[in-house]
Amino acid sequence: MVVIKKNPERFLKELRKHYDLVMRIPSSEYLKKPDFVVVDPKTGKKVKVSFVTLEDGQFAGIVYDDSS
């Protein structure tokens, strides 16, 4: 897991510019071991983010949820 120190809202906005499918799914199995966590250095707010791929390796989308 990678920790990125940046404003989570700004980070998610940038993801939406580059990826078609960015969804907030709090109960997603993919978020049990997120690919990275975005932490706002000023407020401490955290957002877990994971890339979702299909069994054949094709990219399906991004899921995220607040963790604080």
Side-chain angles (χ1 to χ4, degrees), residues 4-53:
I4 299 171
K5 294 185 178 185
K6 189 172 184 177
N7 180 306
E9 288 83 20
R10 176 182 264 168
F11 186 81
L12 290 169
K13 184 178 178 181
E14 290 294 320
L15 281 178
R16 286 185 181 100
K17 284 183 182 178
H18 300 285
Y19 297 98
D20 293 331
L21 190 60
V22 179
M23 301 179 298
R24 181 174 183 257
I25 304 177
S27 60
S28 175
E29 292 292 318
Y30 291 102
L31 295 174
K32 289 185 178 179
K33 289 186 177 180
D35 291 319
F36 49 93
V37 176
V38 182
V39 179
D40 188 332
K42 293 180 182 177
T43 65
K45 180 181 177 180
K46 299 177 186 176
V47 174
K48 295 187 267 183
V49 181
S50 288
F51 290 97
V52 178
T53 56

